[in-house]
Amino acid sequence: TSISLDVCTQIGKGAFAECTELEYFNSFRITEFPENLFYNCDALSYVSASSVELLSDGIFDNCDNLLTLKLNSLLSLESDSGNHFIPVNCPKLAQFWADSLTELPDGAFKNAENLVEVSLLALEKVGKEAFYGCYLLDTINSTSIKYIGDYAFYGCTGLVNINVSDA
């Protein structure tokens, strides 16, 4: 099952919660993902939301099969209540794009064991232990990393490419 919202600009809390057959979600104009939006969508594997800037709590809780997350306008991994996006709720997450994000908080993807590729073009600061234990991580694309925190890539035994270049 897939959902593509081309003209929708706002979506309510838990709108797709418990949609256990939902596999793909695309939106182009929604700027905020509200609380529990995809709660317990265990078949969800792909989310692309090119305009989402803000997250709320519990969005991807129990999305055990989420593989790809593209939030290119995302401004912060911190939710409206001050919590951080926690990839442990998405144990299979392999690809993450958030090309407007400028800072990764401490421990942002700590122990995200299946994370392989990250695109964070505007990223300036990588917090301590941001990718700690991401042993499959092999590629990070960015154009502006200026600070890398303590143990940021500790245990990233597969890391072969950190592409930091002026685009």
Side-chain angles (χ1 to χ4, degrees), residues 128-161:
K128 71 179 182 180
E129 300 181 358
F131 295 103
Y132 185 103
C134 296
Y135 60 88
L136 293 179
L137 182 65
D138 71 10
T139 303
I140 296 176
N141 294 310
S142 182
T143 57
S144 53
I145 294 176
K146 294 178 175 78
Y147 172 84
I148 297 175
D150 297 343
Y151 302 100
F153 298 100
Y154 184 89
C156 295
T157 56
L159 190 59
V160 291
N161 293 310

PDB file of all heavy atoms in Angstrom, residues 128-161:
ATOM      1  N   LYS A 128      28.844  14.544  19.621  1.00  0.00           N
ATOM      2  CA  LYS A 128      29.602  13.391  20.117  1.00  0.00           C
ATOM      3  C   LYS A 128      28.753  12.127  20.013  1.00  0.00           C
ATOM      4  O   LYS A 128      27.533  12.162  20.199  1.00  0.00           O
ATOM      5  CB  LYS A 128      30.113  13.626  21.535  1.00  0.00           C
ATOM      6  CG  LYS A 128      29.074  13.627  22.605  1.00  0.00           C
ATOM      7  CD  LYS A 128      29.705  13.837  23.976  1.00  0.00           C
ATOM      8  CE  LYS A 128      28.628  13.774  25.031  1.00  0.00           C
ATOM      9  NZ  LYS A 128      29.171  13.958  26.368  1.00  0.00           N
ATOM     10  N   GLU A 129      29.424  11.057  19.647  1.00  0.00           N
ATOM     11  CA  GLU A 129      28.803   9.745  19.496  1.00  0.00           C
ATOM     12  C   GLU A 129      27.614   9.736  18.524  1.00  0.00           C
ATOM     13  O   GLU A 129      26.749   8.870  18.596  1.00  0.00           O
ATOM     14  CB  GLU A 129      28.379   9.182  20.858  1.00  0.00           C
ATOM     15  CG  GLU A 129      29.535   9.008  21.816  1.00  0.00           C
ATOM     16  CD  GLU A 129      29.138   8.443  23.158  1.00  0.00           C
ATOM     17  OE1 GLU A 129      27.929   8.201  23.394  1.00  0.00           O
ATOM     18  OE2 GLU A 129      30.036   8.215  23.982  1.00  0.00           O
ATOM     19  N   ALA A 130      27.575  10.685  17.603  1.00  0.00           N
ATOM     20  CA  ALA A 130      26.444  10.793  16.670  1.00  0.00           C
ATOM     21  C   ALA A 130      26.228   9.510  15.860  1.00  0.00           C
ATOM     22  O   ALA A 130      25.097   9.100  15.630  1.00  0.00           O
ATOM     23  CB  ALA A 130      26.629  11.986  15.741  1.00  0.00           C
ATOM     24  N   PHE A 131      27.308   8.879  15.435  1.00  0.00           N
ATOM     25  CA  PHE A 131      27.216   7.648  14.652  1.00  0.00           C
ATOM     26  C   PHE A 131      27.900   6.480  15.362  1.00  0.00           C
ATOM     27  O   PHE A 131      28.249   5.479  14.735  1.00  0.00           O
ATOM     28  CB  PHE A 131      27.835   7.849  13.264  1.00  0.00           C
ATOM     29  CG  PHE A 131      27.091   8.835  12.410  1.00  0.00           C
ATOM     30  CD1 PHE A 131      27.590  10.119  12.234  1.00  0.00           C
ATOM     31  CD2 PHE A 131      25.903   8.494  11.798  1.00  0.00           C
ATOM     32  CE1 PHE A 131      26.917  11.034  11.453  1.00  0.00           C
ATOM     33  CE2 PHE A 131      25.218   9.407  11.018  1.00  0.00           C
ATOM     34  CZ  PHE A 131      25.729  10.687  10.845  1.00  0.00           C
ATOM     35  N   TYR A 132      28.072   6.586  16.627  1.00  0.00           N
ATOM     36  CA  TYR A 132      28.738   5.572  17.455  1.00  0.00           C
ATOM     37  C   TYR A 132      28.089   4.208  17.208  1.00  0.00           C
ATOM     38  O   TYR A 132      26.878   4.048  17.311  1.00  0.00           O
ATOM     39  CB  TYR A 132      28.592   5.974  18.923  1.00  0.00           C
ATOM     40  CG  TYR A 132      29.315   5.111  19.922  1.00  0.00           C
ATOM     41  CD1 TYR A 132      30.497   5.541  20.496  1.00  0.00           C
ATOM     42  CD2 TYR A 132      28.793   3.886  20.326  1.00  0.00           C
ATOM     43  CE1 TYR A 132      31.162   4.784  21.446  1.00  0.00           C
ATOM     44  CE2 TYR A 132      29.452   3.114  21.269  1.00  0.00           C
ATOM     45  CZ  TYR A 132      30.632   3.563  21.826  1.00  0.00           C
ATOM     46  OH  TYR A 132      31.282   2.807  22.759  1.00  0.00           O
ATOM     47  N   GLY A 133      28.894   3.228  16.848  1.00  0.00           N
ATOM     48  CA  GLY A 133      28.381   1.869  16.675  1.00  0.00           C
ATOM     49  C   GLY A 133      27.637   1.612  15.379  1.00  0.00           C
ATOM     50  O   GLY A 133      27.028   0.560  15.219  1.00  0.00           O
ATOM     51  N   CYS A 134      27.684   2.545  14.438  1.00  0.00           N
ATOM     52  CA  CYS A 134      27.027   2.340  13.138  1.00  0.00           C
ATOM     53  C   CYS A 134      28.018   1.623  12.224  1.00  0.00           C
ATOM     54  O   CYS A 134      28.581   2.205  11.305  1.00  0.00           O
ATOM     55  CB  CYS A 134      26.608   3.678  12.541  1.00  0.00           C
ATOM     56  SG  CYS A 134      25.378   4.569  13.494  1.00  0.00           S
ATOM     57  N   TYR A 135      28.244   0.360  12.484  1.00  0.00           N
ATOM     58  CA  TYR A 135      29.318  -0.353  11.821  1.00  0.00           C
ATOM     59  C   TYR A 135      29.085  -0.589  10.331  1.00  0.00           C
ATOM     60  O   TYR A 135      30.022  -0.858   9.590  1.00  0.00           O
ATOM     61  CB  TYR A 135      29.664  -1.653  12.543  1.00  0.00           C
ATOM     62  CG  TYR A 135      28.549  -2.655  12.646  1.00  0.00           C
ATOM     63  CD1 TYR A 135      28.346  -3.582  11.643  1.00  0.00           C
ATOM     64  CD2 TYR A 135      27.710  -2.683  13.753  1.00  0.00           C
ATOM     65  CE1 TYR A 135      27.326  -4.508  11.732  1.00  0.00           C
ATOM     66  CE2 TYR A 135      26.692  -3.608  13.848  1.00  0.00           C
ATOM     67  CZ  TYR A 135      26.505  -4.523  12.838  1.00  0.00           C
ATOM     68  OH  TYR A 135      25.493  -5.434  12.929  1.00  0.00           O
ATOM     69  N   LEU A 136      27.870  -0.487   9.826  1.00  0.00           N
ATOM     70  CA  LEU A 136      27.617  -0.634   8.394  1.00  0.00           C
ATOM     71  C   LEU A 136      27.693   0.688   7.633  1.00  0.00           C
ATOM     72  O   LEU A 136      27.718   0.692   6.399  1.00  0.00           O
ATOM     73  CB  LEU A 136      26.252  -1.274   8.146  1.00  0.00           C
ATOM     74  CG  LEU A 136      26.089  -2.724   8.572  1.00  0.00           C
ATOM     75  CD1 LEU A 136      24.672  -3.210   8.290  1.00  0.00           C
ATOM     76  CD2 LEU A 136      27.100  -3.619   7.888  1.00  0.00           C
ATOM     77  N   LEU A 137      27.719   1.797   8.358  1.00  0.00           N
ATOM     78  CA  LEU A 137      27.764   3.109   7.712  1.00  0.00           C
ATOM     79  C   LEU A 137      28.988   3.189   6.817  1.00  0.00           C
ATOM     80  O   LEU A 137      30.109   2.973   7.267  1.00  0.00           O
ATOM     81  CB  LEU A 137      27.806   4.217   8.768  1.00  0.00           C
ATOM     82  CG  LEU A 137      27.819   5.656   8.247  1.00  0.00           C
ATOM     83  CD1 LEU A 137      26.510   5.965   7.521  1.00  0.00           C
ATOM     84  CD2 LEU A 137      28.014   6.623   9.406  1.00  0.00           C
ATOM     85  N   ASP A 138      28.750   3.481   5.516  1.00  0.00           N
ATOM     86  CA  ASP A 138      29.897   3.591   4.621  1.00  0.00           C
ATOM     87  C   ASP A 138      30.016   4.951   3.943  1.00  0.00           C
ATOM     88  O   ASP A 138      31.090   5.324   3.500  1.00  0.00           O
ATOM     89  CB  ASP A 138      29.949   2.454   3.607  1.00  0.00           C
ATOM     90  CG  ASP A 138      28.888   2.507   2.529  1.00  0.00           C
ATOM     91  OD1 ASP A 138      28.177   3.514   2.395  1.00  0.00           O
ATOM     92  OD2 ASP A 138      28.764   1.519   1.786  1.00  0.00           O
ATOM     93  N   THR A 139      28.922   5.733   3.867  1.00  0.00           N
ATOM     94  CA  THR A 139      28.984   6.998   3.142  1.00  0.00           C
ATOM     95  C   THR A 139      28.217   8.104   3.869  1.00  0.00           C
ATOM     96  O   THR A 139      27.072   7.907   4.266  1.00  0.00           O
ATOM     97  CB  THR A 139      28.390   6.848   1.721  1.00  0.00           C
ATOM     98  OG1 THR A 139      29.098   5.816   1.036  1.00  0.00           O
ATOM     99  CG2 THR A 139      28.484   8.134   0.936  1.00  0.00           C
ATOM    100  N   ILE A 140      28.886   9.245   3.991  1.00  0.00           N
ATOM    101  CA  ILE A 140      28.247  10.457   4.506  1.00  0.00           C
ATOM    102  C   ILE A 140      28.516  11.559   3.487  1.00  0.00           C
ATOM    103  O   ILE A 140      29.663  11.843   3.150  1.00  0.00           O
ATOM    104  CB  ILE A 140      28.808  10.875   5.880  1.00  0.00           C
ATOM    105  CG1 ILE A 140      28.488   9.807   6.914  1.00  0.00           C
ATOM    106  CG2 ILE A 140      28.245  12.227   6.299  1.00  0.00           C
ATOM    107  CD1 ILE A 140      29.079  10.062   8.272  1.00  0.00           C
ATOM    108  N   ASN A 141      27.441  12.159   2.988  1.00  0.00           N
ATOM    109  CA  ASN A 141      27.559  13.268   2.042  1.00  0.00           C
ATOM    110  C   ASN A 141      27.191  14.563   2.741  1.00  0.00           C
ATOM    111  O   ASN A 141      26.126  14.677   3.342  1.00  0.00           O
ATOM    112  CB  ASN A 141      26.638  13.054   0.845  1.00  0.00           C
ATOM    113  CG  ASN A 141      27.060  11.873   0.011  1.00  0.00           C
ATOM    114  OD1 ASN A 141      28.215  11.759  -0.361  1.00  0.00           O
ATOM    115  ND2 ASN A 141      26.134  10.973  -0.254  1.00  0.00           N
ATOM    116  N   SER A 142      28.090  15.530   2.662  1.00  0.00           N
ATOM    117  CA  SER A 142      27.875  16.842   3.259  1.00  0.00           C
ATOM    118  C   SER A 142      28.701  17.854   2.480  1.00  0.00           C
ATOM    119  O   SER A 142      29.596  17.481   1.719  1.00  0.00           O
ATOM    120  CB  SER A 142      28.282  16.837   4.736  1.00  0.00           C
ATOM    121  OG  SER A 142      28.030  18.104   5.305  1.00  0.00           O
ATOM    122  N   THR A 143      28.411  19.121   2.674  1.00  0.00           N
ATOM    123  CA  THR A 143      29.211  20.154   2.014  1.00  0.00           C
ATOM    124  C   THR A 143      29.851  21.108   3.007  1.00  0.00           C
ATOM    125  O   THR A 143      30.617  21.967   2.604  1.00  0.00           O
ATOM    126  CB  THR A 143      28.357  20.976   1.026  1.00  0.00           C
ATOM    127  OG1 THR A 143      27.255  21.545   1.715  1.00  0.00           O
ATOM    128  CG2 THR A 143      27.887  20.119  -0.128  1.00  0.00           C
ATOM    129  N   SER A 144      29.548  20.950   4.295  1.00  0.00           N
ATOM    130  CA  SER A 144      29.996  22.015   5.198  1.00  0.00           C
ATOM    131  C   SER A 144      30.297  21.589   6.625  1.00  0.00           C
ATOM    132  O   SER A 144      30.141  22.383   7.538  1.00  0.00           O
ATOM    133  CB  SER A 144      28.951  23.122   5.198  1.00  0.00           C
ATOM    134  OG  SER A 144      27.675  22.595   5.476  1.00  0.00           O
ATOM    135  N   ILE A 145      30.731  20.360   6.868  1.00  0.00           N
ATOM    136  CA  ILE A 145      31.055  19.940   8.238  1.00  0.00           C
ATOM    137  C   ILE A 145      32.238  20.752   8.749  1.00  0.00           C
ATOM    138  O   ILE A 145      33.296  20.784   8.137  1.00  0.00           O
ATOM    139  CB  ILE A 145      31.367  18.429   8.313  1.00  0.00           C
ATOM    140  CG1 ILE A 145      30.125  17.614   7.977  1.00  0.00           C
ATOM    141  CG2 ILE A 145      31.882  18.064   9.708  1.00  0.00           C
ATOM    142  CD1 ILE A 145      30.354  16.116   7.926  1.00  0.00           C
ATOM    143  N   LYS A 146      32.010  21.409   9.900  1.00  0.00           N
ATOM    144  CA  LYS A 146      33.052  22.223  10.517  1.00  0.00           C
ATOM    145  C   LYS A 146      33.501  21.655  11.860  1.00  0.00           C
ATOM    146  O   LYS A 146      34.583  21.962  12.338  1.00  0.00           O
ATOM    147  CB  LYS A 146      32.551  23.650  10.711  1.00  0.00           C
ATOM    148  CG  LYS A 146      32.285  24.386   9.409  1.00  0.00           C
ATOM    149  CD  LYS A 146      31.743  25.777   9.665  1.00  0.00           C
ATOM    150  CE  LYS A 146      31.580  26.555   8.404  1.00  0.00           C
ATOM    151  NZ  LYS A 146      30.420  26.243   7.620  1.00  0.00           N
ATOM    152  N   TYR A 147      32.645  20.841  12.490  1.00  0.00           N
ATOM    153  CA  TYR A 147      32.951  20.315  13.822  1.00  0.00           C
ATOM    154  C   TYR A 147      32.520  18.860  13.895  1.00  0.00           C
ATOM    155  O   TYR A 147      31.401  18.512  13.503  1.00  0.00           O
ATOM    156  CB  TYR A 147      32.213  21.128  14.894  1.00  0.00           C
ATOM    157  CG  TYR A 147      32.332  20.531  16.277  1.00  0.00           C
ATOM    158  CD1 TYR A 147      33.434  20.805  17.066  1.00  0.00           C
ATOM    159  CD2 TYR A 147      31.358  19.671  16.775  1.00  0.00           C
ATOM    160  CE1 TYR A 147      33.562  20.257  18.340  1.00  0.00           C
ATOM    161  CE2 TYR A 147      31.476  19.112  18.042  1.00  0.00           C
ATOM    162  CZ  TYR A 147      32.583  19.405  18.819  1.00  0.00           C
ATOM    163  OH  TYR A 147      32.703  18.848  20.063  1.00  0.00           O
ATOM    164  N   ILE A 148      33.405  18.020  14.411  1.00  0.00           N
ATOM    165  CA  ILE A 148      33.094  16.609  14.652  1.00  0.00           C
ATOM    166  C   ILE A 148      33.387  16.320  16.116  1.00  0.00           C
ATOM    167  O   ILE A 148      34.512  16.507  16.577  1.00  0.00           O
ATOM    168  CB  ILE A 148      33.927  15.681  13.741  1.00  0.00           C
ATOM    169  CG1 ILE A 148      33.575  15.952  12.264  1.00  0.00           C
ATOM    170  CG2 ILE A 148      33.691  14.225  14.097  1.00  0.00           C
ATOM    171  CD1 ILE A 148      34.413  15.191  11.269  1.00  0.00           C
ATOM    172  N   GLY A 149      32.371  15.892  16.853  1.00  0.00           N
ATOM    173  CA  GLY A 149      32.484  15.646  18.288  1.00  0.00           C
ATOM    174  C   GLY A 149      33.216  14.367  18.642  1.00  0.00           C
ATOM    175  O   GLY A 149      33.504  13.516  17.785  1.00  0.00           O
ATOM    176  N   ASP A 150      33.499  14.222  19.940  1.00  0.00           N
ATOM    177  CA  ASP A 150      34.196  13.049  20.466  1.00  0.00           C
ATOM    178  C   ASP A 150      33.470  11.761  20.076  1.00  0.00           C
ATOM    179  O   ASP A 150      32.240  11.675  20.178  1.00  0.00           O
ATOM    180  CB  ASP A 150      34.262  13.107  21.997  1.00  0.00           C
ATOM    181  CG  ASP A 150      35.061  14.285  22.521  1.00  0.00           C
ATOM    182  OD1 ASP A 150      35.837  14.882  21.745  1.00  0.00           O
ATOM    183  OD2 ASP A 150      34.896  14.618  23.710  1.00  0.00           O
ATOM    184  N   TYR A 151      34.241  10.796  19.654  1.00  0.00           N
ATOM    185  CA  TYR A 151      33.734   9.454  19.319  1.00  0.00           C
ATOM    186  C   TYR A 151      32.579   9.473  18.312  1.00  0.00           C
ATOM    187  O   TYR A 151      31.764   8.558  18.273  1.00  0.00           O
ATOM    188  CB  TYR A 151      33.314   8.706  20.588  1.00  0.00           C
ATOM    189  CG  TYR A 151      34.421   8.565  21.595  1.00  0.00           C
ATOM    190  CD1 TYR A 151      34.499   9.421  22.700  1.00  0.00           C
ATOM    191  CD2 TYR A 151      35.410   7.607  21.446  1.00  0.00           C
ATOM    192  CE1 TYR A 151      35.522   9.310  23.622  1.00  0.00           C
ATOM    193  CE2 TYR A 151      36.445   7.493  22.360  1.00  0.00           C
ATOM    194  CZ  TYR A 151      36.492   8.344  23.447  1.00  0.00           C
ATOM    195  OH  TYR A 151      37.513   8.235  24.363  1.00  0.00           O
ATOM    196  N   ALA A 152      32.507  10.512  17.502  1.00  0.00           N
ATOM    197  CA  ALA A 152      31.398  10.672  16.555  1.00  0.00           C
ATOM    198  C   ALA A 152      31.230   9.463  15.637  1.00  0.00           C
ATOM    199  O   ALA A 152      30.114   9.072  15.324  1.00  0.00           O
ATOM    200  CB  ALA A 152      31.573  11.939  15.730  1.00  0.00           C
ATOM    201  N   PHE A 153      32.337   8.863  15.223  1.00  0.00           N
ATOM    202  CA  PHE A 153      32.288   7.739  14.290  1.00  0.00           C
ATOM    203  C   PHE A 153      32.896   6.475  14.900  1.00  0.00           C
ATOM    204  O   PHE A 153      33.296   5.563  14.175  1.00  0.00           O
ATOM    205  CB  PHE A 153      33.011   8.100  12.989  1.00  0.00           C
ATOM    206  CG  PHE A 153      32.378   9.264  12.282  1.00  0.00           C
ATOM    207  CD1 PHE A 153      32.926  10.536  12.393  1.00  0.00           C
ATOM    208  CD2 PHE A 153      31.235   9.099  11.536  1.00  0.00           C
ATOM    209  CE1 PHE A 153      32.348  11.615  11.757  1.00  0.00           C
ATOM    210  CE2 PHE A 153      30.641  10.171  10.895  1.00  0.00           C
ATOM    211  CZ  PHE A 153      31.197  11.432  11.009  1.00  0.00           C
ATOM    212  N   TYR A 154      32.921   6.401  16.201  1.00  0.00           N
ATOM    213  CA  TYR A 154      33.508   5.252  16.899  1.00  0.00           C
ATOM    214  C   TYR A 154      32.794   3.963  16.490  1.00  0.00           C
ATOM    215  O   TYR A 154      31.566   3.867  16.522  1.00  0.00           O
ATOM    216  CB  TYR A 154      33.397   5.448  18.414  1.00  0.00           C
ATOM    217  CG  TYR A 154      34.052   4.353  19.223  1.00  0.00           C
ATOM    218  CD1 TYR A 154      35.387   4.447  19.577  1.00  0.00           C
ATOM    219  CD2 TYR A 154      33.339   3.226  19.611  1.00  0.00           C
ATOM    220  CE1 TYR A 154      36.010   3.448  20.310  1.00  0.00           C
ATOM    221  CE2 TYR A 154      33.944   2.222  20.343  1.00  0.00           C
ATOM    222  CZ  TYR A 154      35.273   2.331  20.685  1.00  0.00           C
ATOM    223  OH  TYR A 154      35.873   1.343  21.409  1.00  0.00           O
ATOM    224  N   GLY A 155      33.559   2.974  16.063  1.00  0.00           N
ATOM    225  CA  GLY A 155      32.986   1.686  15.691  1.00  0.00           C
ATOM    226  C   GLY A 155      32.403   1.637  14.293  1.00  0.00           C
ATOM    227  O   GLY A 155      31.773   0.646  13.921  1.00  0.00           O
ATOM    228  N   CYS A 156      32.587   2.694  13.506  1.00  0.00           N
ATOM    229  CA  CYS A 156      32.077   2.706  12.127  1.00  0.00           C
ATOM    230  C   CYS A 156      33.094   2.015  11.231  1.00  0.00           C
ATOM    231  O   CYS A 156      33.764   2.641  10.407  1.00  0.00           O
ATOM    232  CB  CYS A 156      31.821   4.139  11.671  1.00  0.00           C
ATOM    233  SG  CYS A 156      30.519   4.972  12.579  1.00  0.00           S
ATOM    234  N   THR A 157      33.191   0.715  11.379  1.00  0.00           N
ATOM    235  CA  THR A 157      34.232  -0.055  10.688  1.00  0.00           C
ATOM    236  C   THR A 157      34.037  -0.098   9.182  1.00  0.00           C
ATOM    237  O   THR A 157      34.984  -0.353   8.452  1.00  0.00           O
ATOM    238  CB  THR A 157      34.290  -1.491  11.237  1.00  0.00           C
ATOM    239  OG1 THR A 157      32.993  -2.087  11.117  1.00  0.00           O
ATOM    240  CG2 THR A 157      34.714  -1.489  12.702  1.00  0.00           C
ATOM    241  N   GLY A 158      32.847   0.174   8.692  1.00  0.00           N
ATOM    242  CA  GLY A 158      32.591   0.157   7.256  1.00  0.00           C
ATOM    243  C   GLY A 158      32.727   1.509   6.584  1.00  0.00           C
ATOM    244  O   GLY A 158      32.570   1.623   5.369  1.00  0.00           O
ATOM    245  N   LEU A 159      33.013   2.562   7.357  1.00  0.00           N
ATOM    246  CA  LEU A 159      33.054   3.913   6.802  1.00  0.00           C
ATOM    247  C   LEU A 159      34.216   4.064   5.818  1.00  0.00           C
ATOM    248  O   LEU A 159      35.371   3.915   6.183  1.00  0.00           O
ATOM    249  CB  LEU A 159      33.188   4.939   7.929  1.00  0.00           C
ATOM    250  CG  LEU A 159      33.011   6.405   7.550  1.00  0.00           C
ATOM    251  CD1 LEU A 159      31.637   6.657   6.944  1.00  0.00           C
ATOM    252  CD2 LEU A 159      33.203   7.292   8.771  1.00  0.00           C
ATOM    253  N   VAL A 160      33.870   4.336   4.563  1.00  0.00           N
ATOM    254  CA  VAL A 160      34.889   4.521   3.538  1.00  0.00           C
ATOM    255  C   VAL A 160      34.805   5.895   2.874  1.00  0.00           C
ATOM    256  O   VAL A 160      35.780   6.338   2.271  1.00  0.00           O
ATOM    257  CB  VAL A 160      34.836   3.413   2.446  1.00  0.00           C
ATOM    258  CG1 VAL A 160      35.261   2.081   3.020  1.00  0.00           C
ATOM    259  CG2 VAL A 160      33.469   3.307   1.823  1.00  0.00           C
ATOM    260  N   ASN A 161      33.650   6.579   2.980  1.00  0.00           N
ATOM    261  CA  ASN A 161      33.491   7.871   2.321  1.00  0.00           C
ATOM    262  C   ASN A 161      32.828   8.891   3.229  1.00  0.00           C
ATOM    263  O   ASN A 161      31.695   8.702   3.662  1.00  0.00           O
ATOM    264  CB  ASN A 161      32.606   7.736   1.063  1.00  0.00           C
ATOM    265  CG  ASN A 161      33.242   6.929  -0.018  1.00  0.00           C
ATOM    266  OD1 ASN A 161      34.374   7.168  -0.382  1.00  0.00           O
ATOM    267  ND2 ASN A 161      32.501   5.946  -0.516  1.00  0.00           N
TER     268      ASN A 161
END
